DNA sequence: CCAAAAGTGTTTTATGTACACCCATGA
DNA sequence: TCATGGGTGTACATAAAACACTTTTGG
C-alpha cells in the first residue's frame, strides 16, 4: 500500500493573536506552565485532533483561550524544522488572528496564564515563535495595505482617529491625518453614523461602522490597490 | 508527558511547478500510475521523511522529478482538510517552484510520466490540487508584481521581449512594450549585455542578465512598490 | 476663555497609462 | 526591398505626499 512505511508526525497549530487598544498593537502570549520550556514565553498552540482541519484546530484553541469564536483567522504557513520543538518532532501550522481586545474573556485568558504584551515589548519566545511573529506582522502589514482588515481589531463602532492609530501601530509610523481620512473614506468601506464618541474629546468624534458589502466589492475588484505590472 | 496521547499524521509535500517557454506559462503535472486516483492528473508530491523539513522534502521531490536543485521554491501553505486524500488522513504542505523549463532533465520527467501543460489547459486534478494551483498562481502574481522573481523562469540570459512575454503569461494580459521596458529598466535589476540574441529576429535583441545585488537592495527597500498606507 | 482633539483643501510631485513610428537585418 | 521583431519618447491622467489652520465644547 502506497501510504505504508511512511512516518507520521505530531501536527500542531500556533496562533499569533493580535489585539489593539489605546496603548497600541498587542500580542497575546502565554507563560508556559509545563515542560518543555516551562516558565518561558510562547504563543498559544495546540495539537491537531483527528476530526478537524488545522483551521478548525486554531479556532478551537483561540476560543478556548479568549472565549471568542468567529474571529478573523488566516493561515501563515507551516513550520517544520526538524528540531524546532526539542520535546518531539512536531510540524506546526501557524495562524494569525485579529481580535477585538475589549471583547475577549479575561477569565479564560488568566486561567491560561496568558497576557497581552505591546508589540514593541515582546519578550524572548520559545522555539521558532519569534519567527512566526515576524512573518505574521509582515503578512498583516501587506494585507492591511490592500484590504481594510484592521476593522477586526476595533470595536464595532470606532472613530477615524482610532482607525488611524491602529494603522500607525501596525506600520509603526505616523500617518498624515488628512491624507489618511481622504484615502480611507474614498474606499467607501465606512458608514458614518450620526452618533458621536465623546470619550476622547470635548467636541466628540463621529463614529463609523464597517460596510461589509463595500468590502466584498473591493475584494472582488482586487483590493485597495490594483496589481501594477 | 505533554505529547502523549496526541494523534500523529502523515505529512506530505505537493509541488506546483511553474515553467515558461515560447508557448507560455506551464505547469508540470503527473499522470498517477498508482492508487488512489490512478490515471488521474495530479501535482508532484511526496511524504515528509524524518530527517528533513518540508522545504527539504519539496526540494528532494523536485530534484527527483526534474534533476534540478537550487530552484526557486516558496511555501504556499498547509492543506489539511480531513478527507482531502481519500486514501488516508494526510496533511500536505504545498510549495510552488519556478524553474527554467529548458534546463530540466527530460528523462526524469518522462520516467515519472510527468508532462508540461499550458496554464490555460490544466486538466481536472485530484484532491485539492486545483485549489493549490489557484493559490499558487495568485501568489505568483502578487509576488511578481512586487519582486522580479520571474527571472527564475527564464534562462540566464534573456531578452526584454522574453521577459515581457513571461509577465504577460503570468497575468494573462497584454502589456504595453514601452511602459514595460521603462518600468523594468528603472528598477536597475537588469544588466544589459553587449551580446545579442538573433534567434527571434533578424535585427537581434540585446540580452540581459539579472542583477542579484540590485535585487537584494530592492528587497530591503520593500520591493518594486512601497507599502502605501 | 482656553486646552484638546476633530475636522477640512490645495498644491506639488511622482507614477501610471495611452499611444505610433523608425531601425536594423537576413533572406 | 521588404517583412519581422527591436527599440524609443511624449503628453495626459491619476494618485500620493506635503502641508496649517479653523471648529467645537466642557471645564
Amino acid at each position: 500500500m502506497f501510504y505504508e512505511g511512511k512516518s507520521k508526525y505530531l501536527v500542531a497549530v500556533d496562533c499569533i493573536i493580535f489585539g489593539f487598544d489605546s496603548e497600541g498593537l498587542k500580542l497575546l502570549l502565554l507563560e508556559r506552565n509545563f515542560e518543555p520550556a516551562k516558565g518561558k514565553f510562547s504563543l498559544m498552540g495546540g495539537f491537531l485532533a483527528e476530526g478537524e482541519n488545522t483551521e478548525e484546530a486554531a479556532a478551537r484553541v483561540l476560543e478556548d483561550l479568549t472565549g471568542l469564536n468567529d474571529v478573523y483567522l488566516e493561515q501563515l504557513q507551516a513550520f517544520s524544522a526538524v528540531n524546532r520543538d526539542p520535546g518531539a518532532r512536531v510540524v506546526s501550522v501557524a495562524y494569525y488572528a485579529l481580535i477585538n481586545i475589549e471583547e475577549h474573556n479575561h477569565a479564560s485568558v488568566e486561567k491560561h496564564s496568558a497576557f497581552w504584551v505591546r508589540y514593541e515589548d515582546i519578550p524572548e519566545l520559545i522555539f521558532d515563535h519569534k519567527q512566526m511573529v515576524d512573518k505574521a506582522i509582515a503578512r498583516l502589514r501587506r494585507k492591511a495595505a490592500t484590504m481594510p482588515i484592521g476593522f477586526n481589531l476595533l470595536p464595532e463602532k470606532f472613530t477615524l482617529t482610532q482607525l488611524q492609530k491602529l494603522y500607525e501601530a501596525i506600520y509603526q509610523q505616523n500617518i498624515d491625518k488628512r491624507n489618511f481620512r481622504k484615502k480611507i473614506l474614498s474606499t467607501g468601506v465606512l458608514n458614518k453614523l450620526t452618533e458621536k464618541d465623546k470619550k476622547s474629546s470635548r467636541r466628540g468624534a463621529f463614529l463609523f461602522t464597517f460596510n461589509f458589502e463595500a468590502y466584498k466589492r473591493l475584494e472582488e475588484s482586487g483590493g485597495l490597490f490594483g496589481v501594477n505590472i
Side-chain angles (χ1 to χ4, degrees), chain A:
Chain A
M1 179 58 175
F2 178 58
Y3 303 97
E4 268 168 30
K6 307 297 179 187
S7 300
K8 292 188 173 188
Y9 304 87
L10 290 167
V11 174
V13 293
D14 284 300
C15 297
I16 299 97
I17 305 170
F18 289 106
F20 178 74
D21 65 13
S22 56
E23 293 178 332
L25 188 66
K26 297 186 172 179
L27 268 185
L28 189 53
L29 296 180
L30 251 61
E31 187 170 355
R32 279 168 79 102
N33 49 17
F34 49 82
E35 294 296 345
K38 186 171 171 179
K40 300 277 182 62
F41 301 107
S42 80
L43 297 170
M44 181 71 186
F47 287 97
L48 180 65
E50 303 215 348
E52 65 185 4
N53 61 34
T54 51
E55 178 153 348
E56 288 159 351
R60 169 174 56 77
V61 161
L62 210 63
E63 183 169 2
D64 180 41
L65 178 62
T66 65
L68 298 172
N69 50 16
D70 198 34
V71 303
Y72 183 91
L73 191 61
E74 188 178 304
Q75 187 187 136
L76 260 189
Q77 62 165 85
F79 290 81
S80 64
V82 173
N83 294 308
R84 54 173 295 283
D85 183 332
R89 175 82 201 260
V90 180
V91 173
S92 177
V93 182
Y95 281 81
Y96 75 98
L98 306 181
I99 78 170
N100 180 338
I101 209 168
E102 313 292 354
E103 283 179 7
H104 77 275
N105 184 321
H106 294 257
S108 311
V109 164
E110 276 163 34
K111 192 185 72 193
H112 285 87
S113 47
F115 59 97
W116 288 97
V117 59
R118 292 180 51 144
Y119 175 72
E120 298 84 358
D121 303 330
I122 298 172
E124 200 180 325
L125 301 177
I126 64 163
F127 306 171
D128 46 7
H129 287 195
K130 173 67 160 58
Q131 205 186 327
M132 293 179 179
V133 170
D134 290 345
K135 286 250 181 200
I137 188 76
R139 185 82 144 255
L140 176 59
R141 282 176 180 163
R142 184 178 58 66
K143 194 93 183 190
T146 54
M147 297 304 297
I149 54 172
F151 301 100
N152 298 286
L153 290 159
L154 291 172
E156 192 193 341
K157 298 175 184 181
F158 51 87
T159 67
L160 290 181
T161 302
Q162 279 178 287
L163 185 60
Q164 181 177 341
K165 292 257 175 286
L166 169 60
Y167 272 80
E168 290 178 335
I170 290 175
Y171 292 103
Q172 299 277 301
Q173 66 182 256
N174 296 329
I175 303 172
D176 180 86
K177 182 164 60 163
R178 283 166 291 189
N179 292 338
F180 178 78
R181 286 168 182 242
K182 209 185 311 170
K183 185 155 181 172
I184 202 81
L185 289 174
S186 76
T187 63
V189 295
L190 296 188
N191 296 323
K192 186 176 184 171
L193 306 180
T194 52
E195 207 179 333
K196 280 189 167 191
D197 170 68
K198 314 263 305 187
K199 281 191 290 288
S200 63
S201 75
R202 297 184 168 139
R203 181 180 178 175
F206 280 105
L207 286 164
F208 290 79
T209 57
F210 181 50
N211 183 331
F212 291 92
E213 286 92 59
Y215 177 86
K216 262 178 230 149
R217 264 179 273 127
L218 190 64
E219 195 165 37
E220 277 156 22
S221 72
L224 293 176
F225 310 94
V227 176
N228 304 301
I229 303 167

